[in-house]
Amino acid sequence: MVRIAVVGAGVVGLTSATLLQEAFPKASITILADRFGEDTVSDVAAGLYRPGLQFQGQNQEITKKWLRDAYDYYMKILNSDYADEAGVKRASGYVFSMNNPKIVRNFLMEPVVEEFRMCTQEELDQYKMKYGTYAVSVLAECRRFLPFLTRKFEEQGGRIVKRFLNSLEELADDYDIVCNCSGFGAKDLCGDNLVTPMRGQVFKVRAPWVKHFYYVDYDTYILPGFDCITLGGTRQFDSYNTEVCKHDAQSIWERCTNFLPSLKKAEILKEAVGLRPYRSIVRVEKELMKFDSGKTLKVVHNYGHGGYGVMAAPGTSIHAVSLVKEMLGMQSKL
Ligand SMILES: Cc1cc2nc3c(=O)[nH]c(=O)nc-3n(C[C@H](O)[C@H](O)[C@H](O)COP(=O)(O)OP(=O)(O)OC[C@H]3O[C@@H](n4cnc5c(N)ncnc54)[C@H](O)[C@@H]3O)c2cc1C
């Protein structure tokens, strides 16, 4: 029996693990991670499918395939009877700017999502904005999506182990192959200095009257999920601060309530900070690791999704599963 380890229980690890179960129904699959659920970066995310233009794989073709595969994966859930349980919903809304007509467009998103169009003059007038686009996309809320994937994984016989790894070498004796979905942890685990924290701070509030998502200039966003709305944000490159900063909180609150004054009445549920695992090129790659001890380990990396890990996880994970197949030298189901 093939023994597969998945390192990481964030959205990338759990998505990879469940897709590996589909591809290798007879394999023994174990998730190893030191943080779960609300202790992961994934839990901080709003989970909207809206790729940033800096989101990249090794080339444009691969990037587009990831994005298409991810969208199709979420649409399949959206059209099922377990969409609510999985935390997947349709999300419609606006991207606005007072400064720049280019930043409201999105060549990665436009060909994929259900609807994408320029705003009408009436819409621009309503929100007192100069440039804008409207889109209908999809959102996966990790507060529901991670427990959903965890249940699915365990029901299909997957094993979950809480453990911190100092090195992937610790897995060399017990597993045939490792899928490394350690997010920001890959910086230390793989000595990958291309992984850089991109600090994000948000409010999670209750304001059920807000139905659309909004992105406005200066990283201001209002993203309604199932049970709460995410108000953001910050995008602080190379900042390791995981504490809530009161100056950031004040700025986020002012920017969001200036744009949508009704948010002043919103109930604040919590404030949260996450270090997005930014890497200039998201790493989905095979590696045969060789250690000083003489041990070797087959590894497929799947990390470095920056601010787009929720929306892109199914796409990069489908790719990672195909690399696991290649590394194990198998085309058929085991
Ligand atoms: C404010 C904010 C808003 C965001 N909004 C969105 C959004 O709207 N849409 C979107 O798509 N993305 C969004 N993101 C980005 C998204 O949250 C991340 O890209 C995504 O969560 C990365 O997932 P991950 O599984 O790689 O990492 P994580 O969720 O951090 O999981 C990493 C896992 O690896 C484990 N691990 C790491 N190192 C080790 C080790 N040495 N030993 C054992 N286990 C280890 C951890 O314990 C954890 O289980 C947002 C992020 C932030 C901060």
Side-chain angles (χ1 to χ4, degrees):
M1 187 192 283
V2 178
R3 301 160 305 165
I4 304 175
V6 176
V7 178
V11 68
V12 178
L14 286 166
T15 309
S16 295
T18 47
L19 289 171
L20 282 163
Q21 284 179 320
E22 283 174 28
F24 302 100
K26 292 186 188 154
S28 152
I29 305 184
T30 307
I31 294 176
L32 300 108
D34 66 331
R35 280 174 292 117
F36 296 87
E38 63 181 31
D39 294 330
T40 62
V41 178
S42 302
D43 188 72
V44 181
L48 182 69
Y49 185 99
R50 179 179 175 260
L53 300 186
Q54 74 279 20
F55 178 80
Q56 298 194 44
Q58 272 153 335
N59 59 50
Q60 203 51 237
E61 200 186 327
I62 287 177
T63 311
K64 287 186 174 168
K65 180 161 168 33
W66 289 348
L67 295 178
R68 166 56 69 188
D69 286 350
Y71 187 76
D72 290 348
Y73 173 99
Y74 283 126
M75 287 314 281
K76 201 169 156 197
I77 297 180
L78 188 65
N79 293 321
S80 73
D81 56 5
Y82 50 87
D84 276 16
E85 183 200 346
V88 176
K89 65 186 274 195
R90 189 172 268 107
S92 59
Y94 297 92
V95 179
F96 287 125
S97 176
M98 287 301 279
N99 309 316
N100 189 339
K102 285 190 191 148
I103 59 175
V104 301
R105 300 294 304 265
N106 188 318
F107 78 94
L108 289 174
M109 184 177 179
E110 289 178 28
V112 180
V113 295
E114 194 174 314
E115 186 177 347
F116 197 104
R117 61 166 172 80
M118 302 306 291
C119 282
T120 61
Q121 192 55 49
E122 203 184 340
E123 287 169 320
L124 294 174
D125 292 345
Q126 182 188 346
Y127 291 101
K128 300 184 180 64
M129 284 285 146
K130 207 163 171 187
Y131 310 106
T133 47
Y134 171 84
V136 180
S137 182
V138 68
L139 177 143
E141 188 166 312
C142 281
R143 210 157 300 170
R144 291 187 184 202
F145 191 48
L146 299 190
F148 167 79
L149 291 174
T150 305
R151 278 195 297 278
K152 192 172 167 187
F153 179 71
E154 290 187 312
E155 276 164 21
Q156 288 170 349
R159 201 166 65 101
I160 298 181
V161 176
K162 184 169 165 61
R163 172 171 162 193
F164 178 79
L165 298 165
N166 290 298
S167 161
L168 290 175
E169 184 178 1
E170 293 169 29
L171 304 176
D173 290 334
D174 298 328
Y175 296 95
D176 300 304
I177 192 158
V178 172
C179 185
N180 173 25
C181 309
S182 53
F184 185 62
K187 188 174 184 68
D188 290 333
L189 203 51
C190 307
D192 185 345
N193 287 323
L194 292 180
V195 179
T196 309
M198 178 95 77
R199 180 180 178 278
Q201 181 168 324
V202 292
F203 282 95
K204 300 279 180 182
V205 304
R206 189 168 289 133
W209 58 90
V210 179
K211 302 293 181 202
H212 290 306
F213 68 77
Y214 301 95
Y215 279 90
V216 201
D217 295 306
Y218 312 118
D219 268 329
T220 303
Y221 54 83
I222 298 163
L223 306 175
F226 278 85
D227 309 314
C228 68
I229 301 189
T230 305
L231 307 183
T234 63
R235 205 177 284 260
Q236 294 152 349
F237 193 71
D238 216 12
S239 167
Y240 288 75
N241 179 10
T242 54
E243 299 295 316
V244 169
C245 163
K246 65 178 184 183
H247 304 293
D248 288 335
Q250 190 181 350
S251 158
I252 293 166
W253 191 256
E254 275 177 16
R255 282 181 280 135
C256 290
T257 56
N258 279 345
F259 178 74
L260 219 58
S262 70
L263 283 172
K264 285 180 190 156
K265 293 183 293 181
E267 179 194 351
I268 298 174
L269 301 173
K270 77 174 205 181
E271 294 179 65
V273 172
L275 303 184
R276 301 175 182 95
Y278 175 77
R279 194 174 187 273
S280 51
I281 295 179
V282 181
R283 188 172 188 202
V284 181
E285 208 168 70
K286 296 181 284 188
E287 184 182 12
L288 180 64
M289 296 186 90
K290 293 180 182 159
F291 303 102
D292 292 344
S293 59
K295 290 178 185 171
T296 60
L297 182 63
K298 291 174 179 162
V299 178
V300 171
H301 300 287
N302 185 9
Y303 66 81
H305 298 65
Y308 308 101
V310 182
M311 53 145 289
T316 64
S317 301
I318 288 169
H319 187 176
V321 169
S322 73
L323 297 182
V324 170
K325 281 185 187 167
E326 272 176 40
M327 270 203 122
L328 291 175
M330 292 172 290
Q331 297 306 317
S332 61
K333 291 190 174 187
L334 285 184

